[in-house]
Amino acid sequence: MRVRILFFLPLLLLLSACAGTPLETAPLTLSPASYDDLPGWTADHQIEALAAFGKSCAVINAKPAEHPVGADPAMGTYAQWQAPCRALAQPLTTDARTFFETWFTPWRAENGSWHNEGLFTGYYEAALHGSRVQHDRYQYPLRVRPQDLVMVELGDFRPDLKGQRIAGRVIQGQLKPFEDRASINAGRLPNDPALRFVWVDNPVDAFFLQVQGSGRIILDDGSVLRVGYDGQNGWPYTAIGRELIKRGELDKDHVSMQAIRAWLAAHPGEAYEVMNLNRSYVFFKVLGGDGPLGAQGVVLTPGRSLAVDHARIPYGIPIWVDADAPMDGAPRIDRLVVAQDTGGAIRGPIRGDLFWGYGPQAEQYAGQMKAQGRMWLLLPKPQKWR
C-alpha cells in the first residue's frame, strides 16, 4: 500500500480469479525443517537478502524486547530477533549464508492442505508521465491524503485482528465510511481541489499506480517525482480482472496486467465503469530517499522484499521461497527474501507478492507472475539469544 508506508497490492491476484479461495482463511502452521530441505539454498546469493534484513533490523531493534513477534510461539519475542540484529550491526566474520545458518532455523509454512503450496505474484515501481499543473494531456490527478481520513489498525485493539485495518471519517463521534473510487474520481471529496498535487496523462496508468502503491512521475519539465502510498479509503479491493473473466472478456488462464491494460485501452467507453468496480482508492505522498517504502517502513529491495499476509506473518522475517518462474524463459525463483510489505489482496498463509523494482523487466515480470510455490520461515534459534 502497495505501500506502504507503501501498501503494495499484488498484481495478478488483484487482476485474476484467484481471490476468495479456502486457502485464504486457512491457518498458518509451522513444522521444523533443515537447510537441506530448501531447494537451491547453496546456490543463492544470500548477501542480497542480508542487506534487506539489515534494513528490517532498524525496526526490530526499536521494538520492546519482551513483546511476541507473532501469534505462533515459534516466532519468538523481539529479544530473540534483536540478538542476530546486534550481531549484524558488528563487522561480520562469516559470509551471509553462514550468518543465517548460525542464527536461524527454517520452519516449513503449511496451510492445512496436503500440498502446502500457495500463490506468488509480483509488483514493481511504476513509471508515469505527468505535470504539476493541469494542462493539455495531463488531466488525471493523483491526490494526497485528506486530513480527515482515519486509518485504524484493528490489531491495536484486539490481538486476533492483527494485520487488519479499516478506514473512514469521524462524523459526530462515529467512524463512517469514506468516499469510494467513483465518488473521489468525480471530485466529491471535501476540499478536493487542494488534494490534487500532480496530474498524469493516462487514467489507466493512474489506476495501476494505485495497484502498485508507488512509482516515479516523469514530469513535463524533465524532473522526476517519486511517490508512494500514504493511505487508503477503507473500501475493500475488487479485482477487475476477475470481473472481466466473469463477463467473458478475458481468459482466466491468460490474464495478466498487460492483458487487462490492453482491454481497457480497447474499450475506453467501458474502462471507467470497470475500474470504478474497485471501490478502493489510494492516496499518495512525495517520497525522498533511495526507493519506495514497504509497510514495515523500510526501503524495499528489488528481488528480495516480499509482501505477505501480515495477519499471519510478521514483518522482518527472512523467508525462503521456492516457486515457479515469473514468466516463460525466466529462471525459477529459489531465493531468500524478507517480509517487508503487505497488500489488500495478500491473503493466506502461503501467499507472497515479490517486489521486482523499477524498469521494463520489473514491469514484465510483475505483470505476468502467477506462480505456485512453497515457503519456509527462518526463525531464531532459541539457544543463540540467551
Side-chain angles (χ1 to χ4, degrees):
M1 86 113 351
R2 36 302 55 217
V3 61
R4 316 164 16 22
I5 177 174
L6 180 72
F7 192 69
F8 277 123
L9 301 177
L11 211 42
L12 276 230
L13 181 58
L14 315 175
L15 309 174
S16 72
C18 298
T21 66
L23 292 183
E24 291 185 11
T25 58
L28 170 67
T29 56
L30 301 172
S31 62
S34 72
Y35 285 98
D36 291 337
D37 298 326
L38 311 187
W41 172 254
T42 59
D44 186 38
H45 299 291
Q46 283 93 351
I47 188 65
E48 299 171 5
L50 188 62
F53 179 66
K55 297 175 183 177
S56 290
C57 279
V59 178
I60 291 171
N61 286 335
K63 298 289 186 179
E66 70 279 7
H67 283 198
V69 171
D72 193 313
M75 295 180 183
T77 65
Y78 279 106
Q80 292 171 267
W81 287 86
Q82 288 163 359
C85 283
R86 286 194 299 269
L88 185 58
Q90 302 168 6
L92 282 178
T93 58
T94 58
D95 63 20
R97 185 179 307 145
T98 303
F99 172 85
F100 285 110
E101 292 177 353
T102 299
W103 285 97
F104 297 93
T105 298
W107 292 70
R108 179 169 177 167
E110 299 176 343
N111 56 24
S113 66
W114 65 272
H115 64 312
N116 289 313
E117 290 189 351
L119 177 67
F120 291 84
T121 52
Y123 63 104
Y124 70 107
E125 188 180 16
L128 297 84
H129 295 273
S131 173
R132 294 182 183 273
V133 179
Q134 182 183 17
H135 70 100
D136 298 332
R137 70 180 190 272
Y138 304 110
Q139 297 295 323
Y140 309 101
L142 304 181
R143 293 172 170 86
V144 297
R145 176 174 174 166
Q147 291 185 351
D148 60 350
L149 174 63
V150 177
M151 300 186 68
V152 181
E153 296 287 348
L154 296 178
D156 292 342
F157 299 88
R158 283 176 43 182
D160 59 313
L161 296 177
K162 185 175 181 179
Q164 300 183 47
R165 62 173 57 172
I166 59 173
R169 177 188 291 114
V170 175
I171 299 176
Q172 295 181 349
Q174 295 186 331
L175 187 66
K176 297 293 184 180
F178 215 74
E179 285 79 1
D180 65 5
R181 174 179 295 276
S183 295
I184 293 172
N185 282 335
R188 296 174 189 157
L189 275 179
N191 200 31
D192 184 65
L195 302 177
R196 307 174 188 186
F197 72 104
V198 67
W199 304 77
V200 298
D201 63 353
N202 188 307
V204 176
D205 286 348
F207 177 86
F208 277 95
L209 178 66
Q210 295 193 25
V211 171
Q212 299 307 310
S214 75
R216 304 181 193 186
I217 314 298
I218 303 169
L219 297 174
D220 53 352
D221 63 5
S223 61
V224 176
L225 190 69
R226 176 173 263 155
V227 299
Y229 171 95
D230 195 33
Q232 188 260 357
N233 65 343
W235 289 92
Y237 185 87
T238 298
I240 65 170
R242 188 167 5 127
E243 178 61 27
L244 291 174
I245 292 169
K246 187 187 303 183
R247 296 182 183 187
E249 300 290 346
L250 293 178
D251 180 352
K252 70 177 182 179
D253 294 327
H254 299 96
V255 67
S256 67
M257 181 186 70
Q258 290 84 352
I260 294 174
R261 278 185 175 275
W263 189 93
L264 294 172
H267 301 80
E270 302 170 67
Y272 273 106
E273 180 264 332
V274 169
M275 290 188 290
N276 282 340
L277 292 174
N278 173 28
R279 303 178 77 178
S280 172
Y281 189 93
V282 170
F283 301 99
F284 294 95
K285 62 182 176 182
V286 177
L287 298 177
D290 299 327
L293 298 179
Q296 192 185 22
V298 302
V299 174
L300 299 174
T301 302
R304 298 291 173 169
S305 293
L306 190 73
V308 296
D309 184 345
H310 187 47
R312 292 175 169 87
I313 299 178
Y315 298 135
I317 290 185
I319 299 174
W320 182 259
V321 172
D322 168 48
D324 297 333
M327 56 179 288
D328 291 343
R332 184 176 178 82
I333 299 171
D334 289 312
R335 65 179 67 185
L336 186 62
V337 299
V338 183
Q340 294 177 323
D341 208 357
T342 191
I346 302 290
R347 293 290 180 267
I350 304 178
R351 177 72 179 92
D353 203 32
L354 184 62
F355 177 63
W356 285 105
Y358 176 78
Q361 185 180 71
E363 180 177 357
Q364 188 178 31
Y365 278 16
Q368 298 190 44
M369 185 174 174
K370 187 168 59 174
Q372 289 295 308
R374 303 173 293 167
M375 64 187 191
W376 289 258
L377 277 57
L378 270 59
L379 304 179
K381 296 178 180 179
Q383 70 273 17
K384 292 297 296 182
W385 63 276
R386 290 173 178 163

